[in-house]
Amino acid sequence: MSFLEGFAIGLGMVIFIGPVFFILLNSSLQFGVKAGLAVASGIIFSDIICVLLCYYGLFSFVNREENQFWIGIVGSAIIFGLGINYLLKKAIIITSISTKPKRIKTFFLKGFSVNFFNPFVLAVWIGVFQYGQSKYLDKEYLYVFLISVLLGIFTTDVLKVLLANRLKEFISAKRLAIFFKITGCLLIFFAIRLLYLIW
C-alpha cells in the first residue's frame, strides 16, 4: 500500500511544470536520450538529497528565512543564466552526443542545480515527508513510501525524455529555434518570479 501510494504521488508530480521541466525537454530534443537521462539523473539525485535533509531534520536549517533567501538568489541566478543562454542559443539538431564523462556530467549538473536550488522543491518534499511520517509510523513503510515517490518522479522524467526523443523526428531547426526562444523567456520568467517571491 505504501509503495502504490508513494509511486502514485511521484507520478502525480508531473503536474508541476517548472524550469527543470524545460531543461529536461530541451536537452533531450537537441542532444538525445543520453543527455536527457543525465539531466533526469541530476534531478533525482537532488531529490534524494532533499529527502535526506528532511529525514535528518536539516530542513529546519534550510527552511530558515535568511537561508531560503540565499538559496533562492543562487537558484534565480542559475535559472536566469540558463534563460539567457537559450535565448542566444543556435538551434542545431545534433544526431549524436559525445559520450565523454565530462559532457554527460554537464547535463547531470544542470539538472541537479536547477532542481536543488529551487526552494519550492524542498518545500514540496517537506510536505511529502511530513505526510509520510504521519501516516506510516513504521520506519520500514516510511522508507518504502519515500523510495516509491522518488521512483515515480524518475519514471515520469524518463518518459518525458523518451517522448521528446520521439518528437525529435518532427522537429526542424526552425521549430527548435522557436522552442529555444520560448524556453528562454519562460526560464527568465521563473527566475524573476522566484526572486520576487523570496525578496
Side-chain angles (χ1 to χ4, degrees):
M1 180 64 184
S2 60
F3 176 83
L4 291 176
E5 184 175 22
F7 191 72
I9 290 173
L11 293 177
M13 287 191 186
V14 72
I15 65 171
F16 293 108
I17 299 178
V20 75
F21 172 79
F22 295 99
I23 299 296
L24 184 67
L25 285 187
N26 273 288
S27 298
S28 303
L29 279 173
Q30 190 179 23
F31 297 101
V33 173
K34 287 182 182 178
L37 291 177
V39 173
S41 298
I43 293 168
I44 202 66
F45 187 69
S46 69
D47 282 335
I48 290 170
I49 291 178
C50 287
V51 171
L52 292 174
L53 286 172
C54 292
Y55 184 79
Y56 290 106
L58 297 177
F59 65 82
S60 58
F61 170 78
V62 179
N63 214 34
R64 285 179 192 166
E65 192 173 332
E66 61 271 22
N67 296 333
Q68 282 284 296
F69 176 78
W70 290 111
I71 292 172
I73 290 290
V74 172
S76 180
I78 291 171
I79 296 168
F80 186 83
L82 287 169
I84 295 296
N85 178 60
Y86 275 109
L87 283 177
L88 302 176
K89 197 171 189 177
K90 290 183 179 180
I92 301 172
I93 298 176
I94 299 171
T95 54
S96 62
I97 179 176
S98 169
T99 54
K100 291 179 180 178
K102 283 186 179 179
R103 193 72 187 274
I104 296 299
K105 190 189 293 185
T106 300
F107 289 105
F108 177 88
L109 290 173
K110 190 183 288 187
F112 175 84
S113 58
V114 172
N115 198 59
F116 184 74
F117 289 105
N118 186 345
F120 301 105
V121 172
L122 182 61
V124 169
W125 272 113
I126 290 171
V128 170
F129 182 82
Q130 289 179 338
Y131 169 77
Q133 198 174 38
S134 63
K135 184 166 185 180
Y136 300 107
L137 301 179
D138 189 323
K139 283 190 176 181
E140 289 184 5
Y141 287 111
L142 176 61
Y143 295 155
V144 171
F145 171 76
L146 293 172
I147 290 170
S148 60
V149 173
L150 289 166
L151 186 60
I153 292 171
F154 189 66
T155 300
T156 60
D157 285 344
V158 169
L159 289 175
K160 290 172 195 172
V161 170
L162 296 176
L163 178 62
N165 191 58
R166 287 292 185 111
L167 292 174
K168 191 176 179 179
E169 300 174 13
F170 307 99
I171 297 292
S172 63
K174 187 177 180 180
R175 289 173 182 169
L176 190 61
I178 294 171
F179 192 53
F180 279 173
K181 295 292 185 291
I182 293 171
T183 300
C185 291
L186 286 170
L187 289 176
I188 290 171
F189 167 76
F190 282 124
I192 294 171
R193 181 173 176 269
L194 176 57
L195 198 61
Y196 171 77
L197 290 172
I198 63 168
W199 198 259

